[in-house]
Amino acid sequence: MTQTFIRTEMLPPEAPPARDSGAIKWLRENLFSGPLNTILTLLGLFIVYWGLSGLLPWIFGGVWNAGSLGECREIIAARTGGDGTEAACWAMVRERWHQYLFGFYPSDLYWRPTLAFGLLFVALAPVLFSQFPRKMFLLTLAYPAVAYLLLWGGSVWVPVMLILLVGAVFFIATRIGGGWGVTTFVVLLLLCFGNPLGNILWFLFRLVDALPFVAVPVAFEQSVLGFLAKIFPLFSHVHPWIHSILPWGLTPVNSDKFGGFLLAIVIGVTAISFSLPLGIILALGRQSDMFIVKSLSVGFIEFIRGVPLITLLFTASLLLQYFLPPGTNFDLILRVIILVTFFAAAYLAEVIRGGLAALPRGQYEAADALGLNYWQAQRLIIMPQALKISIPGIVSTFIGLFKDTTLVSFVGLLDPLRGVTMAVRADINWKGIYWEPYVFVGAIFFILCFSMSRYSMYLERKLKTDHR
Amino acid sequence: MKKTVLLATAAVLAAGVAQAGTLDDVKARGELICGSNTGLTGFGAPGADGTWTGFDVDLCKALAAAVLGDASKVKFVPTTGETRFTALASGEVDVLIRNSTWTFSRDTELALDFVAVNYYDGQGFMVKKDLGVTSAKELNGATVCIQTGTTTELNLADFFKANNMTYTAVNVADDSEGQRQYLAGACDTYTTDASGLAASRATMADAENHIILPEIISKEPLGPVVRHGDNQWGDIVRWTYFALLIAEEKGITKANFEEIAASTTDPEVKRLAGLEGDMGAKIGLDNEFAKRAVLAVGNYGEVFDANIGESTPIGLARGLNALWTQGGLQYAAPFR
């Protein structure tokens, strides 16, 4: 009887050899897989070490409590025994952080921009995340007026009447509907918020006046324009009247007090939120079959895209004044916001056109086959897909736009990077400080831009519908 | 050149828009809008609480006191080197008091008027002591840190050419970068206006190791600027400034003005105090305009000492800006 060995139970599996598992395996395969890679890894480690060993002590060994750059240096010298080691002087940030955030906004009113910033997230929540109830969109719609009131202050009736008037005009126009509705909408809006007759007349007077032998009597011109200005725009009569009955409001703050990140965020957020709809309209206009719509869109996009942003900013700050009727005192920040919005819209239009072009023709045909009209097709079928494709491009444009807001320092506005820094450096206490402001401002910009970028990735993941 | 033409066009356009009568505008507005610097140590910069201080700023305040009777009724609009003249021409600011050099083309082509010189500056050089240089004429072959696009760049080229020397330019964008590059050893010498060099040196960790060379290679008369064609307003700015100078000349300070005005027999002082001569009425103001200006900020010497003088960290000597009676160039026409 031969005895056969029969294994009755399985051996427990051996742990893989140490060199073939876990972190060591990963290191071997990825970092030390050959002589060349080993050398590169070591070199990389050395460079990282070299950079951080200089940077980290500089950042974390910085001085937070000092009254001037000179004091900072003394403290550092006392600590290191004067061996010439450098460290950051964060005392500047400690002393001037409020200027970097708010510019010259009155310090007892800092709660207003802070509250406006907090409410921004409440208003954005239903736009950015679908979990929130749809009714919150009402908050989003009211937000611009609330933010304007909080930031600029003044009578509470300005934003309230603004909303009510626009709402009323919109309501009337939708009741009429069609082409007449649109016309009514535009005319009523102009009568409420502009002085179309006055501006056209002013322009005509200027034209006639420019002729060599005709002179419009100043008194005539002023009486006509003055009369019109007494009637139009209607809006400017309504809110002071109500304000005289119910004087509710906040302390007005002139926008030349805005600065730092308050300014960057006001310009950035406004331009971002207005440029997206404008960009969509321009992109659709560019694809339109109607000659005038198409050529206006193409002309606008190509002109604005063909000009550097700096040129547009100079236009906002210097040239626009010449084209407006005299006495028009148009807030510089509003002028800048308008032109930055145009700039971003032109870029967005092209990004979105890319998304439209990427849609298969069948989608358009399917929309037609369902009997949808143009706007229904755009809203329900085309845009949701085109925008989804364009998300990375759109967010890139937004991030670029937000960073570009620092360029406003060239027109004398107090942007965080250069404007506030120049003002801080002009203080004899902080003159000669160089890296600290850049590091501080750069860090805040990074946080804001990085959040935008993460959100865009989240959105892409969420909207991924597996057919590509 | 291109830029100048563009500016000139804008200025001409503006001349049609901006009406004469700045004084009326200022009075109606109840506020003086003063074109200021975005930030220049000692001359004009906003502090931690947003209030503006500086040598140029004080002249704005004096002007507001003279015209509106209140030195605080002035709004400072920061202007950059690029926007300053257009901001003035388009009427966005009433007066520009912002370290602007009086030159031929600015005075004529840009249709502006420089009404006075409140600071005589000039371009200088700063070197490290261990370079062993004691005169700018020994800088042959040096690397020079220089701000691009400024008149200092042209002055530098002229100076080296005239002295038959060569240099290598290291271009920097602004003063802080210039200082940084110089300290980092990117250049042997840093050149800009002498007042700016003094301020930079005062804040260096090792100020004793740096010297400012004695040569001043250019004339930089800096002064308040107004638009062409509004002579009354120009007169007001000029004579407000002169009032500060005359006050110093007569030994009148912020503190002793009332006392001197009460006891003086000097007719010019009496005119300055508005007791005689009906002077203010001749420029559309009341007779105490000069007195208010001096009471608001002090005389020229006081303004100088408080902002940039030897008792401040910047520590500028009066030099060319001493009164003419003390060998300087500050000379006011008679107040009569």
Side-chain angles (χ1 to χ4, degrees), chain A residues 73 86 96 98-99 104 254 256 314 317-318 321-322 335 409-412 422-423 425-428 431-432 434-435, chain B residues 10 14 38-41 45-48 50 75 78 80 83 90 92 175-177 179-180 199-200 203-205 313-314:
Chain A
R73 286 178 183 141
E86 284 190 39
R96 296 297 192 105
H98 58 278
Q99 253 169 11
F104 298 142
N254 204 318
D256 59 10
F314 277 123
S317 115
L318 302 171
Q321 236 8 2
Y322 297 122
R335 281 183 265 159
S409 72
F410 288 100
V411 294
M422 291 260 286
R425 281 193 191 131
D427 186 338
I428 189 80
K431 193 173 163 63
Y434 194 74
W435 297 110
Chain B
T38 45
L40 184 63
T41 315
K75 179 171 132 186
T80 64
T83 60
S90 68
E92 214 149 303
D175 185 56
S176 60
E177 198 189 326
Q179 194 179 330
R180 184 84 209 165
S200 292
T203 54
M204 284 178 180
I314 305 172

Side-chain angles (χ1 to χ4, degrees), chain B residues 184-212:
Chain B
C187 50
D188 300 323
T189 173
Y190 175 41
T191 179
T192 185
D193 286 352
S195 61
L197 288 181
S200 292
R201 183 176 172 273
T203 54
M204 284 178 180
D206 54 342
E208 67 282 356
N209 294 335
H210 303 270
I211 51 170
I212 295 170

Side-chain angles (χ1 to χ4, degrees), chain B residues 28-115:
Chain B
R29 200 189 302 126
E31 187 178 54
L32 173 76
I33 301 181
C34 199
S36 194
N37 224 302
T38 45
L40 184 63
T41 315
F43 284 85
D49 53 353
T51 53
W52 288 73
T53 52
F55 181 75
D56 284 341
V57 165
D58 274 354
L59 187 51
C60 289
K61 287 185 182 164
L63 192 58
V67 175
L68 298 167
D70 186 347
S72 66
K73 285 189 177 158
V74 48
K75 179 171 132 186
F76 296 97
V77 172
T79 55
T80 64
E82 293 86 13
T83 60
R84 53 183 167 178
F85 296 123
T86 327
L88 178 64
S90 68
E92 214 149 303
V93 300
D94 299 317
V95 57
L96 191 70
I97 309 183
R98 188 213 171 273
N99 278 69
S100 301
T101 307
W102 187 350
T103 67
F104 177 84
S105 59
R106 287 174 180 176
D107 202 347
T108 56
E109 195 181 15
L110 294 187
L112 303 174
D113 276 338
F114 288 75
V115 291

Side-chain angles (χ1 to χ4, degrees), chain B residues 94-170:
Chain B
D94 299 317
V95 57
L96 191 70
I97 309 183
R98 188 213 171 273
N99 278 69
S100 301
T101 307
W102 187 350
T103 67
F104 177 84
S105 59
R106 287 174 180 176
D107 202 347
T108 56
E109 195 181 15
L110 294 187
L112 303 174
D113 276 338
F114 288 75
V115 291
V117 177
N118 67 338
Y119 191 86
Y120 288 96
D121 212 336
Q123 188 178 342
F125 293 92
M126 177 159 54
V127 293
K128 296 195 179 79
K129 241 182 200 161
D130 54 17
L131 194 66
V133 171
T134 53
S135 156
K137 302 221 166 114
E138 297 165 20
L139 286 172
N140 196 7
T143 46
V144 184
C145 279
I146 174 88
Q147 289 180 43
T148 47
T150 60
T151 48
T152 51
E153 203 177 11
L154 310 173
N155 297 333
L156 178 74
D158 288 354
F159 175 76
F160 273 76
K161 204 180 216 175
N163 288 292
N164 212 4
M165 303 192 296
T166 57
Y167 67 97
T168 315
V170 177

